[in-house]
Amino acid sequence: MTDGVPHGCHGLENFGRDMASDRRSVVWSWFPGGWNKEAPECGKQMVAEPPGSTPTSQIMEEFAEDQTAWIDAFNLAYEKMTSNGYPDGLKDTPDIHTNLVCPLPPIKMKWESQGSYGCYILDKAGSGPFFMLGNR
């Protein structure tokens, strides 16, 4: 990767910074001389931290094959993360879940737009702050 542009794999020869946009769309690579969009043929990620330890790709494969190994590692990391830097422990946040209603969206066929769906607090209209959650 140089200046935010991946390179070094077959299929990334014509991939460049000029392909970036704010459209949030997929950018496909094209193999030289090819007519179809293709995923680049990159090898596995061999980065290891600290150097000499298990490479990232091997850890990802282990977690993909053994969900118990993943949740065990996650629990240890989460416990450490949430206890570091808070000498007095964590503080409760304001309650936003009481009377919160998030109706299930209607079932749509895969080709139909999913649209936006809202959650709301089941209370007297206009009695509290307005908020909206969206999903694309």
Side-chain angles (χ1 to χ4, degrees):
M1 175 119 22
T2 306
D3 294 328
V5 178
H7 58 83
C9 303
H10 182 60
L12 293 179
E13 292 86 349
N14 299 317
F15 194 81
R17 194 169 194 80
D18 60 326
M19 299 172 111
S21 76
D22 293 332
R23 293 181 310 162
R24 294 185 181 195
S25 60
V26 175
V27 176
W28 287 93
S29 58
W30 298 79
F31 287 170
W35 293 97
N36 296 320
K37 57 187 177 186
E38 301 281 343
E41 296 174 349
C42 298
K44 293 180 179 179
Q45 179 61 263
M46 298 310 291
V47 171
E49 187 60 43
S53 64
T54 306
T56 303
S57 59
Q58 188 175 336
I59 294 169
M60 294 296 110
E61 287 177 346
E62 176 186 343
F63 287 164
E65 293 170 5
D66 185 353
Q67 291 182 4
T68 301
W70 180 86
I71 199 68
D72 289 346
F74 174 83
N75 283 336
L76 288 172
Y78 187 77
E79 183 177 333
K80 182 177 181 180
M81 178 190 74
T82 57
S83 64
N84 282 346
Y86 297 96
D88 299 327
L90 298 175
K91 294 180 175 58
D92 289 337
T93 61
D95 175 24
I96 65 162
H97 298 98
T98 300
N99 296 326
L100 181 66
V101 178
C102 295
L104 290 174
I107 297 174
K108 294 190 176 198
M109 303 309 277
K110 65 182 179 181
W111 59 83
E112 293 180 295
S113 171
Q114 292 302 310
S116 297
Y117 306 102
C119 294
Y120 58 91
I121 295 175
L122 190 59
D123 206 348
K124 182 179 172 188
S127 65
F130 173 79
F131 72 98
M132 183 172 164
L133 301 174
N135 187 3
R136 293 180 188 210

mmCIF file of all heavy atoms in Angstrom, residues 35-86:
data_model
loop_
_atom_site.group_PDB
_atom_site.id
_atom_site.type_symbol
_atom_site.label_atom_id
_atom_site.label_comp_id
_atom_site.label_asym_id
_atom_site.label_seq_id
_atom_site.Cartn_x
_atom_site.Cartn_y
_atom_site.Cartn_z
ATOM 1 N N TRP A 35 -11.913 -8.775 -19.847
ATOM 2 C CA TRP A 35 -13.154 -8.056 -20.120
ATOM 3 C C TRP A 35 -14.082 -8.025 -18.916
ATOM 4 O O TRP A 35 -15.047 -7.291 -18.896
ATOM 5 C CB TRP A 35 -13.880 -8.704 -21.300
ATOM 6 C CG TRP A 35 -13.129 -8.537 -22.566
ATOM 7 C CD1 TRP A 35 -12.287 -9.444 -23.128
ATOM 8 C CD2 TRP A 35 -13.108 -7.399 -23.409
ATOM 9 N NE1 TRP A 35 -11.741 -8.952 -24.270
ATOM 10 C CE2 TRP A 35 -12.245 -7.679 -24.488
ATOM 11 C CE3 TRP A 35 -13.731 -6.159 -23.376
ATOM 12 C CZ2 TRP A 35 -11.994 -6.782 -25.501
ATOM 13 C CZ3 TRP A 35 -13.484 -5.272 -24.399
ATOM 14 C CH2 TRP A 35 -12.626 -5.581 -25.432
ATOM 15 N N ASN A 36 -13.817 -8.855 -17.921
ATOM 16 C CA ASN A 36 -14.714 -8.956 -16.770
ATOM 17 C C ASN A 36 -14.072 -8.377 -15.519
ATOM 18 O O ASN A 36 -12.863 -8.438 -15.347
ATOM 19 C CB ASN A 36 -15.063 -10.428 -16.496
ATOM 20 C CG ASN A 36 -15.839 -11.041 -17.633
ATOM 21 O OD1 ASN A 36 -16.707 -10.403 -18.210
ATOM 22 N ND2 ASN A 36 -15.521 -12.278 -17.962
ATOM 23 N N LYS A 37 -14.916 -7.859 -14.643
ATOM 24 C CA LYS A 37 -14.399 -7.399 -13.360
ATOM 25 C C LYS A 37 -14.004 -8.618 -12.539
ATOM 26 O O LYS A 37 -14.654 -9.661 -12.593
ATOM 27 C CB LYS A 37 -15.418 -6.536 -12.645
ATOM 28 C CG LYS A 37 -16.754 -7.195 -12.407
ATOM 29 C CD LYS A 37 -17.743 -6.204 -11.857
ATOM 30 C CE LYS A 37 -19.097 -6.860 -11.706
ATOM 31 N NZ LYS A 37 -20.121 -5.937 -11.308
ATOM 32 N N GLU A 38 -12.938 -8.480 -11.796
ATOM 33 C CA GLU A 38 -12.394 -9.590 -11.029
ATOM 34 C C GLU A 38 -11.921 -9.089 -9.667
ATOM 35 O O GLU A 38 -11.549 -7.941 -9.521
ATOM 36 C CB GLU A 38 -11.187 -10.213 -11.748
ATOM 37 C CG GLU A 38 -11.475 -10.750 -13.133
ATOM 38 C CD GLU A 38 -12.157 -12.092 -13.110
ATOM 39 O OE1 GLU A 38 -12.128 -12.758 -12.061
ATOM 40 O OE2 GLU A 38 -12.723 -12.472 -14.134
ATOM 41 N N ALA A 39 -11.894 -9.971 -8.705
ATOM 42 C CA ALA A 39 -11.256 -9.659 -7.432
ATOM 43 C C ALA A 39 -9.755 -9.857 -7.624
ATOM 44 O O ALA A 39 -9.336 -10.797 -8.307
ATOM 45 C CB ALA A 39 -11.769 -10.578 -6.332
ATOM 46 N N PRO A 40 -8.924 -8.984 -7.085
ATOM 47 C CA PRO A 40 -7.480 -9.145 -7.262
ATOM 48 C C PRO A 40 -6.992 -10.437 -6.624
ATOM 49 O O PRO A 40 -7.580 -10.929 -5.665
ATOM 50 C CB PRO A 40 -6.885 -7.918 -6.574
ATOM 51 C CG PRO A 40 -7.951 -7.368 -5.724
ATOM 52 C CD PRO A 40 -9.262 -7.836 -6.265
ATOM 53 N N GLU A 41 -5.931 -10.971 -7.164
ATOM 54 C CA GLU A 41 -5.349 -12.219 -6.662
ATOM 55 C C GLU A 41 -4.212 -11.891 -5.710
ATOM 56 O O GLU A 41 -3.043 -11.927 -6.073
ATOM 57 C CB GLU A 41 -4.857 -13.072 -7.833
ATOM 58 C CG GLU A 41 -5.978 -13.516 -8.744
ATOM 59 C CD GLU A 41 -5.491 -14.229 -9.991
ATOM 60 O OE1 GLU A 41 -4.272 -14.205 -10.278
ATOM 61 O OE2 GLU A 41 -6.329 -14.815 -10.684
ATOM 62 N N CYS A 42 -4.566 -11.558 -4.489
ATOM 63 C CA CYS A 42 -3.575 -11.204 -3.472
ATOM 64 C C CYS A 42 -3.341 -12.389 -2.542
ATOM 65 O O CYS A 42 -4.266 -13.143 -2.253
ATOM 66 C CB CYS A 42 -4.057 -10.011 -2.650
ATOM 67 S SG CYS A 42 -4.298 -8.511 -3.610
ATOM 68 N N GLY A 43 -2.123 -12.505 -2.083
ATOM 69 C CA GLY A 43 -1.802 -13.553 -1.117
ATOM 70 C C GLY A 43 -2.356 -13.202 0.255
ATOM 71 O O GLY A 43 -2.935 -12.136 0.464
ATOM 72 N N LYS A 44 -2.191 -14.099 1.182
ATOM 73 C CA LYS A 44 -2.687 -13.865 2.537
ATOM 74 C C LYS A 44 -1.853 -12.799 3.239
ATOM 75 O O LYS A 44 -0.663 -12.646 2.980
ATOM 76 C CB LYS A 44 -2.636 -15.165 3.335
ATOM 77 C CG LYS A 44 -3.606 -16.194 2.822
ATOM 78 C CD LYS A 44 -3.534 -17.451 3.629
ATOM 79 C CE LYS A 44 -4.551 -18.455 3.086
ATOM 80 N NZ LYS A 44 -4.498 -19.704 3.828
ATOM 81 N N GLN A 45 -2.490 -12.082 4.138
ATOM 82 C CA GLN A 45 -1.832 -11.040 4.914
ATOM 83 C C GLN A 45 -0.880 -11.705 5.907
ATOM 84 O O GLN A 45 -1.294 -12.525 6.714
ATOM 85 C CB GLN A 45 -2.894 -10.230 5.655
ATOM 86 C CG GLN A 45 -2.369 -9.138 6.523
ATOM 87 C CD GLN A 45 -1.601 -8.095 5.760
ATOM 88 O OE1 GLN A 45 -0.388 -8.179 5.736
ATOM 89 N NE2 GLN A 45 -2.279 -7.143 5.165
ATOM 90 N N MET A 46 0.397 -11.365 5.835
ATOM 91 C CA MET A 46 1.395 -11.989 6.694
ATOM 92 C C MET A 46 1.898 -11.044 7.797
ATOM 93 O O MET A 46 2.881 -11.339 8.464
ATOM 94 C CB MET A 46 2.566 -12.505 5.849
ATOM 95 C CG MET A 46 2.154 -13.589 4.842
ATOM 96 S SD MET A 46 1.185 -14.944 5.559
ATOM 97 C CE MET A 46 2.413 -15.745 6.565
ATOM 98 N N VAL A 47 1.212 -9.919 7.999
ATOM 99 C CA VAL A 47 1.599 -8.993 9.056
ATOM 100 C C VAL A 47 1.426 -9.689 10.401
ATOM 101 O O VAL A 47 0.426 -10.378 10.631
ATOM 102 C CB VAL A 47 0.722 -7.718 8.991
ATOM 103 C CG1 VAL A 47 0.950 -6.836 10.208
ATOM 104 C CG2 VAL A 47 0.997 -6.951 7.721
ATOM 105 N N ALA A 48 2.407 -9.526 11.265
ATOM 106 C CA ALA A 48 2.357 -10.110 12.603
ATOM 107 C C ALA A 48 2.783 -9.043 13.608
ATOM 108 O O ALA A 48 3.746 -8.324 13.378
ATOM 109 C CB ALA A 48 3.280 -11.325 12.687
ATOM 110 N N GLU A 49 2.048 -8.941 14.694
ATOM 111 C CA GLU A 49 2.369 -7.962 15.730
ATOM 112 C C GLU A 49 2.337 -8.646 17.081
ATOM 113 O O GLU A 49 1.279 -9.158 17.469
ATOM 114 C CB GLU A 49 1.375 -6.814 15.686
ATOM 115 C CG GLU A 49 1.691 -5.666 16.601
ATOM 116 C CD GLU A 49 3.025 -5.016 16.324
ATOM 117 O OE1 GLU A 49 3.380 -4.788 15.157
ATOM 118 O OE2 GLU A 49 3.727 -4.743 17.308
ATOM 119 N N PRO A 50 3.403 -8.747 17.794
ATOM 120 C CA PRO A 50 4.731 -8.246 17.458
ATOM 121 C C PRO A 50 5.367 -9.085 16.348
ATOM 122 O O PRO A 50 4.946 -10.229 16.116
ATOM 123 C CB PRO A 50 5.508 -8.375 18.769
ATOM 124 C CG PRO A 50 4.821 -9.476 19.528
ATOM 125 C CD PRO A 50 3.380 -9.418 19.112
ATOM 126 N N PRO A 51 6.361 -8.514 15.652
ATOM 127 C CA PRO A 51 7.025 -9.258 14.572
ATOM 128 C C PRO A 51 7.491 -10.629 15.055
ATOM 129 O O PRO A 51 7.990 -10.782 16.169
ATOM 130 C CB PRO A 51 8.212 -8.359 14.204
ATOM 131 C CG PRO A 51 7.758 -6.982 14.594
ATOM 132 C CD PRO A 51 6.920 -7.174 15.836
ATOM 133 N N GLY A 52 7.245 -11.634 14.225
ATOM 134 C CA GLY A 52 7.627 -13.001 14.574
ATOM 135 C C GLY A 52 6.509 -13.791 15.222
ATOM 136 O O GLY A 52 6.621 -15.004 15.401
ATOM 137 N N SER A 53 5.406 -13.131 15.588
ATOM 138 C CA SER A 53 4.275 -13.848 16.181
ATOM 139 C C SER A 53 3.377 -14.395 15.064
ATOM 140 O O SER A 53 3.715 -14.339 13.893
ATOM 141 C CB SER A 53 3.494 -12.927 17.125
ATOM 142 O OG SER A 53 2.926 -11.848 16.413
ATOM 143 N N THR A 54 2.234 -14.917 15.427
ATOM 144 C CA THR A 54 1.301 -15.513 14.463
ATOM 145 C C THR A 54 0.790 -14.448 13.495
ATOM 146 O O THR A 54 0.306 -13.401 13.931
ATOM 147 C CB THR A 54 0.113 -16.150 15.201
ATOM 148 O OG1 THR A 54 0.608 -17.065 16.175
ATOM 149 C CG2 THR A 54 -0.806 -16.880 14.235
ATOM 150 N N PRO A 55 0.869 -14.686 12.166
ATOM 151 C CA PRO A 55 0.366 -13.702 11.190
ATOM 152 C C PRO A 55 -1.147 -13.506 11.300
ATOM 153 O O PRO A 55 -1.891 -14.410 11.684
ATOM 154 C CB PRO A 55 0.717 -14.317 9.838
ATOM 155 C CG PRO A 55 1.666 -15.413 10.107
ATOM 156 C CD PRO A 55 1.469 -15.838 11.527
ATOM 157 N N THR A 56 -1.596 -12.316 10.953
ATOM 158 C CA THR A 56 -3.011 -11.954 11.019
ATOM 159 C C THR A 56 -3.884 -12.957 10.266
ATOM 160 O O THR A 56 -4.940 -13.360 10.757
ATOM 161 C CB THR A 56 -3.219 -10.544 10.433
ATOM 162 O OG1 THR A 56 -2.399 -9.636 11.160
ATOM 163 C CG2 THR A 56 -4.660 -10.114 10.536
ATOM 164 N N SER A 57 -3.465 -13.361 9.070
ATOM 165 C CA SER A 57 -4.293 -14.273 8.271
ATOM 166 C C SER A 57 -4.509 -15.608 8.977
ATOM 167 O O SER A 57 -5.597 -16.177 8.913
ATOM 168 C CB SER A 57 -3.657 -14.509 6.905
ATOM 169 O OG SER A 57 -2.356 -15.068 7.047
ATOM 170 N N GLN A 58 -3.496 -16.085 9.676
ATOM 171 C CA GLN A 58 -3.628 -17.353 10.392
ATOM 172 C C GLN A 58 -4.600 -17.205 11.567
ATOM 173 O O GLN A 58 -5.407 -18.102 11.828
ATOM 174 C CB GLN A 58 -2.261 -17.825 10.883
ATOM 175 C CG GLN A 58 -2.272 -19.217 11.467
ATOM 176 C CD GLN A 58 -0.872 -19.697 11.823
ATOM 177 O OE1 GLN A 58 0.122 -19.233 11.274
ATOM 178 N NE2 GLN A 58 -0.794 -20.618 12.762
ATOM 179 N N ILE A 59 -4.555 -16.076 12.245
ATOM 180 C CA ILE A 59 -5.489 -15.828 13.351
ATOM 181 C C ILE A 59 -6.916 -15.772 12.813
ATOM 182 O O ILE A 59 -7.840 -16.352 13.397
ATOM 183 C CB ILE A 59 -5.117 -14.528 14.080
ATOM 184 C CG1 ILE A 59 -3.765 -14.679 14.767
ATOM 185 C CG2 ILE A 59 -6.199 -14.142 15.079
ATOM 186 C CD1 ILE A 59 -3.186 -13.384 15.287
ATOM 187 N N MET A 60 -7.122 -15.079 11.685
ATOM 188 C CA MET A 60 -8.462 -14.979 11.086
ATOM 189 C C MET A 60 -8.989 -16.354 10.678
ATOM 190 O O MET A 60 -10.164 -16.653 10.875
ATOM 191 C CB MET A 60 -8.451 -14.051 9.869
ATOM 192 C CG MET A 60 -8.163 -12.600 10.178
ATOM 193 S SD MET A 60 -9.436 -11.860 11.198
ATOM 194 C CE MET A 60 -8.570 -11.662 12.739
ATOM 195 N N GLU A 61 -8.124 -17.187 10.110
ATOM 196 C CA GLU A 61 -8.550 -18.536 9.731
ATOM 197 C C GLU A 61 -8.943 -19.353 10.956
ATOM 198 O O GLU A 61 -9.936 -20.079 10.942
ATOM 199 C CB GLU A 61 -7.444 -19.238 8.948
ATOM 200 C CG GLU A 61 -7.290 -18.706 7.538
ATOM 201 C CD GLU A 61 -6.141 -19.346 6.791
ATOM 202 O OE1 GLU A 61 -5.285 -20.016 7.418
ATOM 203 O OE2 GLU A 61 -6.092 -19.172 5.563
ATOM 204 N N GLU A 62 -8.163 -19.235 12.020
ATOM 205 C CA GLU A 62 -8.485 -19.970 13.252
ATOM 206 C C GLU A 62 -9.848 -19.530 13.793
ATOM 207 O O GLU A 62 -10.675 -20.352 14.150
ATOM 208 C CB GLU A 62 -7.412 -19.731 14.308
ATOM 209 C CG GLU A 62 -7.731 -20.395 15.633
ATOM 210 C CD GLU A 62 -6.744 -20.036 16.741
ATOM 211 O OE1 GLU A 62 -5.650 -19.550 16.443
ATOM 212 O OE2 GLU A 62 -7.115 -20.246 17.917
ATOM 213 N N PHE A 63 -10.080 -18.219 13.830
ATOM 214 C CA PHE A 63 -11.359 -17.717 14.343
ATOM 215 C C PHE A 63 -12.518 -18.121 13.436
ATOM 216 O O PHE A 63 -13.615 -18.397 13.918
ATOM 217 C CB PHE A 63 -11.319 -16.205 14.496
ATOM 218 C CG PHE A 63 -10.466 -15.727 15.659
ATOM 219 C CD1 PHE A 63 -10.081 -14.407 15.723
ATOM 220 C CD2 PHE A 63 -10.072 -16.578 16.679
ATOM 221 C CE1 PHE A 63 -9.316 -13.945 16.794
ATOM 222 C CE2 PHE A 63 -9.311 -16.137 17.739
ATOM 223 C CZ PHE A 63 -8.929 -14.814 17.800
ATOM 224 N N ALA A 64 -12.300 -18.154 12.126
ATOM 225 C CA ALA A 64 -13.363 -18.552 11.200
ATOM 226 C C ALA A 64 -13.726 -20.024 11.384
ATOM 227 O O ALA A 64 -14.886 -20.399 11.234
ATOM 228 C CB ALA A 64 -12.914 -18.303 9.763
ATOM 229 N N GLU A 65 -12.746 -20.850 11.724
ATOM 230 C CA GLU A 65 -12.979 -22.288 11.873
ATOM 231 C C GLU A 65 -13.464 -22.668 13.277
ATOM 232 O O GLU A 65 -14.048 -23.728 13.466
ATOM 233 C CB GLU A 65 -11.692 -23.056 11.555
ATOM 234 C CG GLU A 65 -11.296 -22.951 10.098
ATOM 235 C CD GLU A 65 -9.901 -23.501 9.831
ATOM 236 O OE1 GLU A 65 -9.275 -24.052 10.766
ATOM 237 O OE2 GLU A 65 -9.452 -23.372 8.686
ATOM 238 N N ASP A 66 -13.193 -21.817 14.270
ATOM 239 C CA ASP A 66 -13.506 -22.163 15.655
ATOM 240 C C ASP A 66 -14.090 -20.937 16.367
ATOM 241 O O ASP A 66 -13.354 -20.103 16.898
ATOM 242 C CB ASP A 66 -12.235 -22.647 16.363
ATOM 243 C CG ASP A 66 -12.479 -23.141 17.779
ATOM 244 O OD1 ASP A 66 -13.616 -22.997 18.288
ATOM 245 O OD2 ASP A 66 -11.525 -23.661 18.395
ATOM 246 N N GLN A 67 -15.416 -20.843 16.388
ATOM 247 C CA GLN A 67 -16.065 -19.688 17.000
ATOM 248 C C GLN A 67 -15.823 -19.611 18.505
ATOM 249 O O GLN A 67 -15.816 -18.533 19.088
ATOM 250 C CB GLN A 67 -17.562 -19.700 16.701
ATOM 251 C CG GLN A 67 -17.854 -19.441 15.252
ATOM 252 C CD GLN A 67 -19.346 -19.409 14.970
ATOM 253 O OE1 GLN A 67 -20.170 -19.518 15.871
ATOM 254 N NE2 GLN A 67 -19.687 -19.238 13.706
ATOM 255 N N THR A 68 -15.597 -20.752 19.139
ATOM 256 C CA THR A 68 -15.296 -20.746 20.567
ATOM 257 C C THR A 68 -13.966 -20.065 20.822
ATOM 258 O O THR A 68 -13.829 -19.284 21.774
ATOM 259 C CB THR A 68 -15.284 -22.185 21.125
ATOM 260 O OG1 THR A 68 -16.562 -22.774 20.882
ATOM 261 C CG2 THR A 68 -14.987 -22.209 22.613
ATOM 262 N N ALA A 69 -12.978 -20.319 19.971
ATOM 263 C CA ALA A 69 -11.675 -19.644 20.112
ATOM 264 C C ALA A 69 -11.849 -18.139 19.955
ATOM 265 O O ALA A 69 -11.242 -17.351 20.691
ATOM 266 C CB ALA A 69 -10.684 -20.179 19.078
ATOM 267 N N TRP A 70 -12.704 -17.721 19.003
ATOM 268 C CA TRP A 70 -12.929 -16.292 18.785
ATOM 269 C C TRP A 70 -13.592 -15.653 20.003
ATOM 270 O O TRP A 70 -13.136 -14.621 20.490
ATOM 271 C CB TRP A 70 -13.804 -16.057 17.551
ATOM 272 C CG TRP A 70 -14.025 -14.594 17.322
ATOM 273 C CD1 TRP A 70 -13.221 -13.752 16.633
ATOM 274 C CD2 TRP A 70 -15.108 -13.800 17.826
ATOM 275 N NE1 TRP A 70 -13.728 -12.472 16.671
ATOM 276 C CE2 TRP A 70 -14.885 -12.470 17.401
ATOM 277 C CE3 TRP A 70 -16.229 -14.069 18.595
ATOM 278 C CZ2 TRP A 70 -15.753 -11.433 17.713
ATOM 279 C CZ3 TRP A 70 -17.089 -13.025 18.904
ATOM 280 C CH2 TRP A 70 -16.849 -11.736 18.456
ATOM 281 N N ILE A 71 -14.644 -16.248 20.514
ATOM 282 C CA ILE A 71 -15.362 -15.628 21.630
ATOM 283 C C ILE A 71 -14.498 -15.624 22.891
ATOM 284 O O ILE A 71 -14.556 -14.678 23.683
ATOM 285 C CB ILE A 71 -16.754 -16.278 21.874
ATOM 286 C CG1 ILE A 71 -17.650 -15.339 22.706
ATOM 287 C CG2 ILE A 71 -16.647 -17.614 22.551
ATOM 288 C CD1 ILE A 71 -18.078 -14.095 22.032
ATOM 289 N N ASP A 72 -13.667 -16.658 23.071
ATOM 290 C CA ASP A 72 -12.762 -16.676 24.226
ATOM 291 C C ASP A 72 -11.769 -15.517 24.143
ATOM 292 O O ASP A 72 -11.542 -14.807 25.121
ATOM 293 C CB ASP A 72 -12.006 -18.008 24.313
ATOM 294 C CG ASP A 72 -12.906 -19.166 24.735
ATOM 295 O OD1 ASP A 72 -14.035 -18.915 25.216
ATOM 296 O OD2 ASP A 72 -12.474 -20.322 24.565
ATOM 297 N N ALA A 73 -11.179 -15.316 22.971
ATOM 298 C CA ALA A 73 -10.224 -14.213 22.785
ATOM 299 C C ALA A 73 -10.935 -12.869 22.904
ATOM 300 O O ALA A 73 -10.407 -11.919 23.492
ATOM 301 C CB ALA A 73 -9.526 -14.346 21.433
ATOM 302 N N PHE A 74 -12.136 -12.771 22.346
ATOM 303 C CA PHE A 74 -12.900 -11.521 22.414
ATOM 304 C C PHE A 74 -13.217 -11.159 23.853
ATOM 305 O O PHE A 74 -13.053 -10.012 24.266
ATOM 306 C CB PHE A 74 -14.196 -11.637 21.602
ATOM 307 C CG PHE A 74 -15.082 -10.437 21.765
ATOM 308 C CD1 PHE A 74 -14.865 -9.302 21.005
ATOM 309 C CD2 PHE A 74 -16.124 -10.443 22.682
ATOM 310 C CE1 PHE A 74 -15.669 -8.180 21.160
ATOM 311 C CE2 PHE A 74 -16.935 -9.324 22.846
ATOM 312 C CZ PHE A 74 -16.703 -8.191 22.077
ATOM 313 N N ASN A 75 -13.676 -12.129 24.631
ATOM 314 C CA ASN A 75 -14.031 -11.856 26.031
ATOM 315 C C ASN A 75 -12.842 -11.337 26.825
ATOM 316 O O ASN A 75 -12.977 -10.391 27.606
ATOM 317 C CB ASN A 75 -14.628 -13.088 26.695
ATOM 318 C CG ASN A 75 -16.056 -13.335 26.293
ATOM 319 O OD1 ASN A 75 -16.765 -12.424 25.883
ATOM 320 N ND2 ASN A 75 -16.488 -14.580 26.380
ATOM 321 N N LEU A 76 -11.679 -11.941 26.629
ATOM 322 C CA LEU A 76 -10.481 -11.476 27.335
ATOM 323 C C LEU A 76 -10.128 -10.049 26.919
ATOM 324 O O LEU A 76 -9.839 -9.193 27.759
ATOM 325 C CB LEU A 76 -9.300 -12.408 27.046
ATOM 326 C CG LEU A 76 -9.358 -13.781 27.703
ATOM 327 C CD1 LEU A 76 -8.232 -14.660 27.170
ATOM 328 C CD2 LEU A 76 -9.262 -13.647 29.209
ATOM 329 N N ALA A 77 -10.148 -9.787 25.610
ATOM 330 C CA ALA A 77 -9.813 -8.455 25.115
ATOM 331 C C ALA A 77 -10.847 -7.425 25.556
ATOM 332 O O ALA A 77 -10.493 -6.302 25.939
ATOM 333 C CB ALA A 77 -9.701 -8.480 23.590
ATOM 334 N N TYR A 78 -12.119 -7.792 25.525
ATOM 335 C CA TYR A 78 -13.181 -6.856 25.921
ATOM 336 C C TYR A 78 -13.064 -6.501 27.397
ATOM 337 O O TYR A 78 -13.198 -5.345 27.783
ATOM 338 C CB TYR A 78 -14.549 -7.458 25.601
ATOM 339 C CG TYR A 78 -15.676 -6.484 25.827
ATOM 340 C CD1 TYR A 78 -15.933 -5.472 24.911
ATOM 341 C CD2 TYR A 78 -16.477 -6.574 26.961
ATOM 342 C CE1 TYR A 78 -16.958 -4.558 25.123
ATOM 343 C CE2 TYR A 78 -17.510 -5.668 27.174
ATOM 344 C CZ TYR A 78 -17.747 -4.670 26.246
ATOM 345 O OH TYR A 78 -18.761 -3.769 26.454
ATOM 346 N N GLU A 79 -12.808 -7.506 28.222
ATOM 347 C CA GLU A 79 -12.660 -7.256 29.655
ATOM 348 C C GLU A 79 -11.487 -6.322 29.915
ATOM 349 O O GLU A 79 -11.591 -5.369 30.700
ATOM 350 C CB GLU A 79 -12.465 -8.581 30.397
ATOM 351 C CG GLU A 79 -12.371 -8.421 31.896
ATOM 352 C CD GLU A 79 -12.256 -9.751 32.604
ATOM 353 O OE1 GLU A 79 -12.735 -10.774 32.085
ATOM 354 O OE2 GLU A 79 -11.674 -9.751 33.696
ATOM 355 N N LYS A 80 -10.384 -6.551 29.227
ATOM 356 C CA LYS A 80 -9.212 -5.694 29.393
ATOM 357 C C LYS A 80 -9.516 -4.277 28.898
ATOM 358 O O LYS A 80 -9.180 -3.286 29.557
ATOM 359 C CB LYS A 80 -8.029 -6.278 28.615
ATOM 360 C CG LYS A 80 -6.761 -5.491 28.771
ATOM 361 C CD LYS A 80 -5.618 -6.173 28.033
ATOM 362 C CE LYS A 80 -4.326 -5.399 28.189
ATOM 363 N NZ LYS A 80 -3.221 -6.062 27.485
ATOM 364 N N MET A 81 -10.165 -4.169 27.746
ATOM 365 C CA MET A 81 -10.471 -2.873 27.157
ATOM 366 C C MET A 81 -11.384 -2.050 28.058
ATOM 367 O O MET A 81 -11.169 -0.864 28.253
ATOM 368 C CB MET A 81 -11.131 -3.059 25.792
ATOM 369 C CG MET A 81 -11.528 -1.764 25.114
ATOM 370 S SD MET A 81 -12.546 -2.033 23.671
ATOM 371 C CE MET A 81 -14.109 -2.471 24.424
ATOM 372 N N THR A 82 -12.387 -2.693 28.608
ATOM 373 C CA THR A 82 -13.356 -1.945 29.413
ATOM 374 C C THR A 82 -12.857 -1.665 30.818
ATOM 375 O O THR A 82 -13.450 -0.848 31.518
ATOM 376 C CB THR A 82 -14.709 -2.676 29.488
ATOM 377 O OG1 THR A 82 -14.508 -3.993 30.016
ATOM 378 C CG2 THR A 82 -15.372 -2.737 28.127
ATOM 379 N N SER A 83 -11.789 -2.302 31.258
ATOM 380 C CA SER A 83 -11.279 -2.034 32.604
ATOM 381 C C SER A 83 -10.071 -1.106 32.581
ATOM 382 O O SER A 83 -9.752 -0.496 33.587
ATOM 383 C CB SER A 83 -10.923 -3.348 33.308
ATOM 384 O OG SER A 83 -9.872 -4.001 32.632
ATOM 385 N N ASN A 84 -9.394 -0.970 31.466
ATOM 386 C CA ASN A 84 -8.236 -0.078 31.379
ATOM 387 C C ASN A 84 -8.665 1.378 31.335
ATOM 388 O O ASN A 84 -9.597 1.742 30.644
ATOM 389 C CB ASN A 84 -7.408 -0.381 30.119
ATOM 390 C CG ASN A 84 -6.549 -1.603 30.292
ATOM 391 O OD1 ASN A 84 -6.357 -2.081 31.396
ATOM 392 N ND2 ASN A 84 -6.034 -2.102 29.202
ATOM 393 N N GLY A 85 -7.958 2.218 32.068
ATOM 394 C CA GLY A 85 -8.171 3.655 31.984
ATOM 395 C C GLY A 85 -9.358 4.177 32.763
ATOM 396 O O GLY A 85 -9.678 5.352 32.659
ATOM 397 N N TYR A 86 -10.035 3.354 33.539
ATOM 398 C CA TYR A 86 -11.184 3.794 34.325
ATOM 399 C C TYR A 86 -10.981 3.357 35.775
ATOM 400 O O TYR A 86 -11.519 2.339 36.205
ATOM 401 C CB TYR A 86 -12.485 3.201 33.773
ATOM 402 C CG TYR A 86 -12.786 3.662 32.377
ATOM 403 C CD1 TYR A 86 -12.436 2.892 31.280
ATOM 404 C CD2 TYR A 86 -13.417 4.880 32.157
ATOM 405 C CE1 TYR A 86 -12.709 3.328 29.996
ATOM 406 C CE2 TYR A 86 -13.693 5.323 30.884
ATOM 407 C CZ TYR A 86 -13.337 4.542 29.804
ATOM 408 O OH TYR A 86 -13.612 4.981 28.545
#
